[in-house]
Amino acid sequence: MNILPVVVLYNIDFRETNAFLTLLSQQKGCRILLYENSPEPMNQSYASEMVSYYHDAHNGGVSAAYNYGAELADRLGDVDALLLLDEDTRFEADYLSRLQSAMEQNPDVSLFVPQVLYAGDEPFSPIHRGLRWKRGAWLGEGRYSLRHYLPVNSGACIRLSAFRQAGGYQTAIRLDFADFDFFSRLAEVSETFYRVDSVARQSFSNEETQVDRLFRRYQFYLEGASVARKNKLISSMVTVEVLRHVLALTCRTRRLCFLSEFIKRFK
Protein backbone atom coordinates (compact mmCIF):
# COMPACT_ATOMS: atom_id res chain seq x y z
CA MET A 1 0.00 0.00 0.00
CA ASN A 2 1.79 3.13 -1.24
CA ILE A 3 0.61 6.33 0.46
CA LEU A 4 1.74 9.81 -0.62
CA PRO A 5 1.73 12.32 2.27
CA VAL A 6 0.88 15.84 1.04
CA VAL A 7 2.12 18.55 3.43
CA VAL A 8 0.74 22.07 2.91
CA LEU A 9 3.12 24.80 4.09
CA TYR A 10 2.78 28.54 4.62
CA ASN A 11 5.64 30.64 5.98
CA ILE A 12 7.17 27.81 7.97
CA ASP A 13 10.13 25.49 7.62
CA PHE A 14 9.00 21.93 6.91
CA ARG A 15 11.20 20.52 9.69
CA GLU A 16 9.52 22.79 12.24
CA THR A 17 6.02 21.53 11.47
CA ASN A 18 4.16 19.14 13.73
CA ALA A 19 3.60 16.89 10.71
CA PHE A 20 7.36 16.39 10.41
CA LEU A 21 8.29 16.36 14.10
CA THR A 22 5.64 13.87 15.20
CA LEU A 23 5.10 11.72 12.10
CA LEU A 24 7.21 12.08 8.98
CA SER A 25 10.57 12.29 10.75
CA GLN A 26 9.94 8.70 11.85
CA GLN A 27 9.54 7.45 8.28
CA LYS A 28 12.55 6.33 6.26
CA GLY A 29 12.31 6.09 2.49
CA CYS A 30 8.82 7.57 2.40
CA ARG A 31 7.93 9.64 -0.66
CA ILE A 32 6.50 13.05 0.32
CA LEU A 33 5.03 16.07 -1.46
CA LEU A 34 5.72 19.51 0.02
CA TYR A 35 3.29 22.06 -1.39
CA GLU A 36 4.27 25.56 -0.36
CA ASN A 37 1.85 28.50 -0.46
CA SER A 38 4.30 31.04 0.99
CA PRO A 39 4.92 34.26 -1.00
CA GLU A 40 8.59 33.28 -1.31
CA PRO A 41 9.95 29.71 -1.52
CA MET A 42 11.36 28.61 1.83
CA ASN A 43 11.55 24.84 1.51
CA GLN A 44 12.90 24.08 -1.95
CA SER A 45 16.18 22.84 -0.42
CA TYR A 46 14.32 19.73 0.79
CA ALA A 47 13.56 18.60 -2.76
CA SER A 48 15.15 15.22 -3.48
CA GLU A 49 14.49 11.90 -5.12
CA MET A 50 11.94 11.10 -2.39
CA VAL A 51 10.66 14.61 -1.64
CA SER A 52 8.73 16.43 -4.36
CA TYR A 53 8.44 20.18 -3.92
CA TYR A 54 6.06 22.70 -5.49
CA HIS A 55 5.90 26.42 -4.81
CA ASP A 56 2.53 28.14 -5.37
CA ALA A 57 3.20 31.86 -4.99
CA HIS A 58 -0.48 32.60 -5.66
CA ASN A 59 -1.51 30.66 -2.54
CA GLY A 60 -4.03 28.23 -3.97
CA GLY A 61 -4.57 26.88 -0.46
CA VAL A 62 -5.17 23.29 0.58
CA SER A 63 -7.53 22.55 -2.31
CA ALA A 64 -4.91 23.31 -4.95
CA ALA A 65 -2.35 21.36 -2.93
CA TYR A 66 -4.40 18.20 -2.64
CA ASN A 67 -5.44 18.31 -6.31
CA TYR A 68 -1.79 18.72 -7.26
CA GLY A 69 -0.99 15.74 -5.04
CA ALA A 70 -3.48 13.61 -6.99
CA GLU A 71 -1.91 14.73 -10.29
CA LEU A 72 1.57 13.89 -9.00
CA ALA A 73 0.34 10.49 -7.82
CA ASP A 74 -0.94 9.77 -11.32
CA ARG A 75 2.44 10.67 -12.80
CA LEU A 76 4.29 8.50 -10.28
CA GLY A 77 2.05 5.59 -11.15
CA ASP A 78 2.57 3.52 -7.99
CA VAL A 79 0.60 5.60 -5.43
CA ASP A 80 -2.62 4.13 -4.02
CA ALA A 81 -3.75 6.91 -1.67
CA LEU A 82 -3.12 10.48 -0.50
CA LEU A 83 -2.48 11.36 3.15
CA LEU A 84 -3.63 14.95 3.73
CA LEU A 85 -1.48 16.89 6.18
CA ASP A 86 -1.10 20.45 7.42
CA GLU A 87 1.54 22.07 9.60
CA ASP A 88 -0.49 22.20 12.83
CA THR A 89 -1.53 18.65 13.68
CA ARG A 90 0.45 16.35 16.00
CA PHE A 91 0.23 12.62 15.34
CA GLU A 92 1.14 9.43 17.13
CA ALA A 93 4.42 8.13 15.73
CA ASP A 94 2.88 4.85 14.50
CA TYR A 95 -0.08 6.45 12.72
CA LEU A 96 1.18 5.47 9.26
CA SER A 97 1.60 1.80 10.18
CA ARG A 98 -1.84 1.69 11.81
CA LEU A 99 -3.27 3.45 8.76
CA GLN A 100 -1.75 0.97 6.34
CA SER A 101 -3.00 -1.95 8.41
CA ALA A 102 -6.55 -0.55 8.45
CA MET A 103 -6.47 0.02 4.68
CA GLU A 104 -5.30 -3.53 3.99
CA GLN A 105 -7.98 -4.99 6.25
CA ASN A 106 -10.75 -2.83 4.74
CA PRO A 107 -10.16 -2.82 0.96
CA ASP A 108 -13.72 -1.70 0.25
CA VAL A 109 -13.38 1.52 2.30
CA SER A 110 -12.04 4.66 0.59
CA LEU A 111 -11.46 7.10 3.47
CA PHE A 112 -9.49 6.60 6.71
CA VAL A 113 -9.15 9.18 9.49
CA PRO A 114 -7.80 9.48 13.06
CA GLN A 115 -9.71 10.82 16.03
CA VAL A 116 -8.63 14.46 16.24
CA LEU A 117 -8.68 16.33 19.59
CA TYR A 118 -8.03 19.93 20.59
CA ALA A 119 -7.89 21.98 23.81
CA GLY A 120 -6.81 19.01 25.85
CA ASP A 121 -9.25 16.19 25.18
CA GLU A 122 -12.10 17.93 23.35
CA PRO A 123 -13.18 16.07 20.19
CA PHE A 124 -12.57 18.12 17.05
CA SER A 125 -12.98 15.61 14.20
CA PRO A 126 -14.94 13.84 12.91
CA ILE A 127 -17.89 16.15 13.49
CA HIS A 128 -21.60 15.42 13.60
CA ARG A 129 -23.50 16.46 10.50
CA GLY A 130 -26.69 18.40 11.00
CA LEU A 131 -27.46 21.24 13.37
CA ARG A 132 -25.75 20.69 16.72
CA TRP A 133 -24.23 23.03 19.28
CA LYS A 134 -21.32 20.68 19.99
CA ARG A 135 -19.92 19.40 16.71
CA GLY A 136 -17.03 17.13 17.68
CA ALA A 137 -17.77 13.41 17.97
CA TRP A 138 -15.98 10.77 20.03
CA LEU A 139 -15.80 7.69 17.81
CA GLY A 140 -14.26 4.32 18.52
CA GLU A 141 -12.26 2.46 15.91
CA GLY A 142 -14.43 1.18 13.07
CA ARG A 143 -16.67 2.05 10.15
CA TYR A 144 -19.01 5.05 10.05
CA SER A 145 -21.15 6.87 7.53
CA LEU A 146 -20.18 10.17 5.91
CA ARG A 147 -23.88 10.96 5.93
CA HIS A 148 -23.69 11.15 9.73
CA TYR A 149 -20.17 12.56 10.22
CA LEU A 150 -17.60 14.65 8.38
CA PRO A 151 -13.84 14.67 9.11
CA VAL A 152 -11.39 17.53 8.73
CA ASN A 153 -8.59 17.38 6.17
CA SER A 154 -5.57 16.82 8.36
CA GLY A 155 -4.75 13.16 8.86
CA ALA A 156 -7.35 11.96 6.37
CA CYS A 157 -6.16 9.33 3.91
CA ILE A 158 -8.16 8.74 0.74
CA ARG A 159 -7.75 6.21 -2.01
CA LEU A 160 -6.97 7.85 -5.34
CA SER A 161 -9.85 6.13 -7.14
CA ALA A 162 -12.37 7.69 -4.73
CA PHE A 163 -10.62 11.08 -4.89
CA ARG A 164 -11.15 11.11 -8.65
CA GLN A 165 -14.75 9.88 -8.40
CA ALA A 166 -15.60 12.73 -6.04
CA GLY A 167 -14.11 15.25 -8.48
CA GLY A 168 -11.24 16.39 -6.28
CA TYR A 169 -11.23 19.54 -4.18
CA GLN A 170 -13.11 22.72 -5.08
CA THR A 171 -10.30 25.16 -5.94
CA ALA A 172 -12.52 28.19 -5.25
CA ILE A 173 -12.47 27.13 -1.57
CA ARG A 174 -8.85 27.67 -0.66
CA LEU A 175 -8.97 26.74 3.04
CA ASP A 176 -11.96 26.99 5.34
CA PHE A 177 -14.77 24.54 4.51
CA ALA A 178 -12.73 22.80 1.78
CA ASP A 179 -12.93 19.56 3.79
CA PHE A 180 -16.67 19.72 4.45
CA ASP A 181 -17.32 20.42 0.77
CA PHE A 182 -15.11 17.58 -0.46
CA PHE A 183 -16.17 14.93 2.04
CA SER A 184 -19.87 15.73 1.56
CA ARG A 185 -19.40 15.10 -2.17
CA LEU A 186 -17.37 11.97 -1.46
CA ALA A 187 -20.34 10.63 0.51
CA GLU A 188 -22.32 10.58 -2.74
CA VAL A 189 -19.92 8.04 -4.29
CA SER A 190 -18.36 6.29 -1.26
CA GLU A 191 -20.39 6.64 1.91
CA THR A 192 -18.33 4.73 4.48
CA PHE A 193 -15.17 5.88 6.25
CA TYR A 194 -12.97 4.15 8.80
CA ARG A 195 -11.83 5.68 12.09
CA VAL A 196 -8.29 4.39 12.57
CA ASP A 197 -7.10 3.37 16.04
CA SER A 198 -5.01 6.52 16.49
CA VAL A 199 -5.41 9.96 18.03
CA ALA A 200 -4.12 13.27 16.62
CA ARG A 201 -4.13 16.68 18.28
CA GLN A 202 -4.90 19.93 16.54
CA SER A 203 -3.22 23.22 17.38
CA PHE A 204 -4.80 26.62 16.67
CA SER A 205 -3.58 30.21 16.55
CA ASN A 206 -6.52 31.39 18.61
CA GLU A 207 -4.47 33.61 20.85
CA GLU A 208 -4.22 36.35 18.21
CA THR A 209 -5.33 39.64 19.74
CA GLN A 210 -4.67 42.15 16.96
CA VAL A 211 -8.02 42.98 15.44
CA ASP A 212 -6.60 43.85 12.03
CA ARG A 213 -5.00 40.40 11.72
CA LEU A 214 -8.12 38.68 13.00
CA PHE A 215 -10.18 40.64 10.50
CA ARG A 216 -7.96 39.69 7.52
CA ARG A 217 -8.17 36.05 8.52
CA TYR A 218 -11.93 36.40 8.93
CA GLN A 219 -12.26 37.79 5.39
CA PHE A 220 -10.40 34.72 4.11
CA TYR A 221 -12.77 32.56 6.15
CA LEU A 222 -15.83 34.21 4.60
CA GLU A 223 -14.40 33.68 1.14
CA GLY A 224 -14.45 29.92 1.62
CA ALA A 225 -17.80 29.93 3.41
CA SER A 226 -19.51 31.87 0.62
CA VAL A 227 -18.48 29.26 -1.96
CA ALA A 228 -19.10 26.25 0.27
CA ARG A 229 -22.65 27.41 1.02
CA LYS A 230 -23.50 26.82 -2.66
CA ASN A 231 -23.06 23.11 -2.00
CA LYS A 232 -26.62 22.12 -1.07
CA LEU A 233 -25.32 19.11 0.87
CA ILE A 234 -23.78 21.37 3.54
CA SER A 235 -25.47 24.75 2.99
CA SER A 236 -27.32 24.97 6.31
CA MET A 237 -24.34 23.59 8.23
CA VAL A 238 -22.01 26.23 6.77
CA THR A 239 -24.47 29.02 7.62
CA VAL A 240 -24.67 27.91 11.25
CA GLU A 241 -20.88 27.62 11.53
CA VAL A 242 -20.38 31.13 10.15
CA LEU A 243 -22.98 32.61 12.50
CA ARG A 244 -21.30 30.97 15.49
CA HIS A 245 -17.90 32.25 14.37
CA VAL A 246 -18.96 35.86 13.76
CA LEU A 247 -20.74 36.04 17.11
CA ALA A 248 -17.70 34.61 18.89
CA LEU A 249 -15.35 37.12 17.23
CA THR A 250 -17.70 40.02 17.95
CA CYS A 251 -17.95 39.11 21.64
CA ARG A 252 -14.22 38.44 21.92
CA THR A 253 -13.07 41.70 20.33
CA ARG A 254 -16.11 43.88 21.11
CA ARG A 255 -15.87 45.22 17.56
CA LEU A 256 -18.75 45.38 15.07
CA CYS A 257 -16.52 45.12 12.00
CA PHE A 258 -16.93 41.33 11.90
CA LEU A 259 -20.71 41.53 11.94
CA SER A 260 -20.68 44.29 9.31
CA GLU A 261 -18.44 42.22 7.03
CA PHE A 262 -20.72 39.22 7.49
CA ILE A 263 -23.78 41.26 6.44
CA LYS A 264 -21.93 42.69 3.45
CA ARG A 265 -20.34 39.53 2.09
CA PHE A 266 -22.36 36.55 3.27
CA LYS A 267 -25.56 36.91 1.30
Side-chain angles (χ1 to χ4, degrees), residues 37-108:
N37 282 310
S38 311
E40 299 295 331
M42 297 174 56
N43 292 277
Q44 68 270 43
S45 63
Y46 295 120
S48 68
E49 182 180 351
M50 298 304 294
V51 178
S52 299
Y53 172 80
Y54 184 83
H55 177 232
D56 181 356
H58 300 291
N59 190 2
V62 298
S63 293
Y66 299 147
N67 287 344
Y68 182 87
E71 293 170 8
L72 175 62
D74 286 337
R75 293 199 297 271
L76 293 172
D78 61 349
V79 175
D80 303 297
L82 298 180
L83 174 58
L84 313 183
L85 299 172
D86 60 26
E87 59 196 45
D88 297 324
T89 311
R90 291 177 287 129
F91 295 92
E92 294 178 321
D94 63 350
Y95 177 51
L96 267 177
S97 61
R98 289 176 180 264
L99 178 59
Q100 288 178 319
S101 177
M103 294 180 76
E104 289 168 0
Q105 293 172 23
N106 298 273
D108 58 325

Side-chain angles (χ1 to χ4, degrees), residues 127-135 148 240-241 244:
I127 68 163
H128 294 280
R129 292 186 71 161
L131 305 179
R132 286 173 175 255
W133 180 251
K134 287 195 174 183
R135 288 288 197 190
H148 298 154
V240 170
E241 288 297 310
R244 285 159 50 129

Side-chain angles (χ1 to χ4, degrees), residues 142-195:
R143 296 181 179 218
Y144 297 90
S145 172
L146 283 171
R147 300 192 185 279
H148 298 154
Y149 304 97
L150 289 177
V152 297
N153 287 321
S154 194
C157 186
I158 179 169
R159 298 187 196 271
L160 274 176
S161 55
F163 188 96
R164 297 187 195 99
Q165 276 187 291
Y169 273 68
Q170 164 65 275
T171 55
I173 308 175
R174 292 189 288 169
L175 181 60
D176 299 289
F177 299 103
D179 37 20
F180 295 170
D181 174 77
F182 174 74
F183 292 125
S184 69
R185 288 184 286 108
L186 178 65
E188 300 299 295
V189 298
S190 183
E191 180 182 348
T192 304
F193 73 96
Y194 193 91
R195 205 288 253 175

Side-chain angles (χ1 to χ4, degrees), residues 251-265:
C251 292
R252 176 179 163 190
T253 62
R254 299 183 181 181
R255 301 290 185 90
L256 293 177
C257 57
F258 299 98
L259 188 57
S260 298
E261 190 72 3
F262 166 78
I263 294 170
K264 181 173 71 174
R265 296 184 55 180

